[in-house]
Amino acid sequence: MKINIFRQKKDLAATAKRQLLKALNQRDTSAVKSLIGEWQPILGSDKLTNLIVNQVMLECDSDSHSWFCQIFLGQAQYQQMGEKAQSNVFQTLLGAGLEPGKDFSFGSDSRIIVNDRAKQILLSQVPQEHRASFEAQLESSLILDPVTTIEQQLGCAFFTNLTEIASQQMQVLNNSQAAAYLGVLLAGLVSRHPQLQDADFPTRFIFNILQELSQERAMLILNDPETNPQFDEMIIFGHLLAAMGDKEYHRIADEEGGISLEQLKKLDLVWCGERRLSEIVAMMEKWHHKNR
């Protein structure tokens, strides 16, 4: 008899979970309220709450998760819960030895930007059976660092290489040249990949470039009065190609060399000026085709 009762309760909980999950994914406010009112006297408040928090909320999609929290907790409590969760994530990553600004950082919309290592550490804190659903939930509050994503697409440590190259430039350029170089370089990178701006990449990049300089010189570069910086783009193109591992990057500055179509195609993956480089490539290919 006890076994039958246990099975009956388990079946009831499974039915409640299925119904609530369906209503939640449909974001049907009246259905969710009706189901909560219906199942509360059957399962009890504590068991129903546990079912919603530890099962239904973990298995619904991220947008429905946020919707439920805002509708049934209220905006103020939802925001407070989000801030607490963000603080817990911060402490978890910090305790694991990860570095803010390098392994994770805060985006412009209060989301936490993480690299692959940080994401795996967060997932390791979750029981195996809930890991897949929890990973889906991360998408509503965490986003992969676009630096990581872009480097994966390029197949090289592009930004790490570029940071080293730019740091070397700070040693040979004067302050106004250094400011113009960073301004033009970053403008092109962000223009091509706007998500870098959302991830506060320019600030992180400049910090990494200037940290080895004296504080006095770093401030002079940062406070350069020029509002429309100009710098030789061919020099920047050479540095971008070098950061991508292009073996012929030095030839673009040679009078007999010049920049090739293949190099322009590579540059179009990371940089954009007043016009997309892909437009120039298309024009050049069209010209070559006509003059064969």
Side-chain angles (χ1 to χ4, degrees):
M1 180 64 69
K2 289 183 179 179
I3 295 177
N4 290 337
I5 292 174
F6 174 77
R7 286 178 177 173
Q8 187 178 22
K9 287 183 177 180
K10 189 175 181 180
D11 290 342
L12 288 171
T15 301
K17 173 185 172 182
R18 184 173 63 255
Q19 292 177 351
L20 284 164
L21 190 57
K22 180 180 179 181
L24 190 55
N25 282 331
Q26 292 176 344
R27 297 176 212 170
D28 188 332
T29 304
S30 60
V32 172
K33 288 181 177 179
S34 176
L35 287 169
I36 290 175
E38 178 183 336
W39 284 106
Q40 189 167 336
I42 299 173
L43 299 177
S45 297
D46 291 342
K47 189 165 184 176
L48 180 59
T49 300
N50 182 68
L51 179 71
I52 293 173
V53 172
N54 295 320
Q55 295 188 48
V56 176
M57 296 288 282
L58 285 177
E59 294 184 24
C60 68
D61 62 80
S62 59
D63 289 336
S64 296
H65 184 283
S66 299
W67 170 83
F68 180 84
C69 291
Q70 293 184 65
I71 294 297
F72 290 91
L73 295 178
Q75 184 62 37
Q77 192 171 349
Y78 173 71
Q79 185 175 349
Q80 186 178 18
M81 183 182 73
E83 291 172 355
K84 184 177 180 180
Q86 192 177 74
S87 176
N88 290 339
V89 167
F90 183 87
Q91 294 301 324
T92 297
L93 296 176
L94 208 61
L98 272 66
E99 299 180 37
K102 179 181 178 182
D103 298 303
F104 65 97
S105 57
F106 295 94
S108 58
D109 54 0
S110 299
R111 293 191 296 176
I112 301 178
I113 302 159
V114 298
N115 61 16
D116 286 332
R117 184 184 171 203
K119 182 177 180 180
Q120 292 307 313
I121 286 175
L122 290 174
L123 288 174
S124 70
Q125 307 296 312
V126 180
Q128 184 66 42
E129 62 270 21
H130 296 310
R131 198 162 293 174
S133 56
F134 180 73
E135 185 172 9
Q137 293 299 330
L138 286 180
E139 301 305 320
S140 65
S141 57
L142 304 177
I143 56 175
L144 284 179
D145 191 339
V147 167
T148 302
T149 303
I150 294 169
E151 288 190 333
Q152 288 175 344
Q153 293 170 346
L154 295 174
C156 64
F158 172 71
F159 290 103
T160 300
N161 297 337
L162 188 60
T163 298
E164 184 177 343
I165 292 170
S167 296
Q168 293 171 358
Q169 287 300 298
M170 296 301 101
Q171 306 301 322
V172 298
L173 298 174
N174 63 38
N175 293 339
S176 60
Q177 289 173 332
Y181 172 83
L182 291 174
V184 174
L185 175 63
L186 284 168
L189 291 170
V190 171
S191 179
R192 181 64 181 84
H193 294 284
Q195 65 268 38
L196 290 172
Q197 184 71 57
D198 297 333
D200 201 25
F201 167 78
T203 300
R204 289 189 285 159
F205 185 76
I206 290 174
F207 174 79
N208 289 330
I209 298 300
L210 302 183
Q211 64 178 339
E212 294 183 5
L213 303 180
S214 67
Q215 183 176 359
E216 180 182 4
R217 181 157 189 247
M219 292 306 297
L220 287 171
I221 293 173
L222 287 173
N223 295 323
D224 185 82
E226 180 59 59
T227 57
N228 184 30
Q230 302 293 318
F231 198 87
D232 188 344
E233 290 183 356
M234 292 303 288
I235 293 176
I236 290 177
F237 287 173
H239 294 168
L240 294 171
L241 289 169
M244 284 189 279
D246 187 289
K247 302 299 183 184
E248 303 294 325
Y249 74 91
H250 57 281
R251 294 191 61 193
I252 69 172
D254 298 339
E255 291 184 6
E256 297 180 359
I259 193 165
S260 69
L261 276 173
E262 288 305 313
Q263 287 175 324
L264 279 172
K265 289 177 181 179
K266 286 183 179 180
L267 290 169
D268 184 58
L269 297 175
V270 297
W271 203 85
C272 178
E274 292 183 2
R275 299 176 64 181
R276 275 285 301 272
L277 293 174
S278 57
E279 296 178 19
I280 300 175
V281 170
M283 290 172 61
M284 291 178 67
E285 289 182 329
K286 185 177 181 180
W287 183 87
H288 280 298
H289 181 73
K290 284 184 175 180
N291 291 274
R292 281 179 178 176

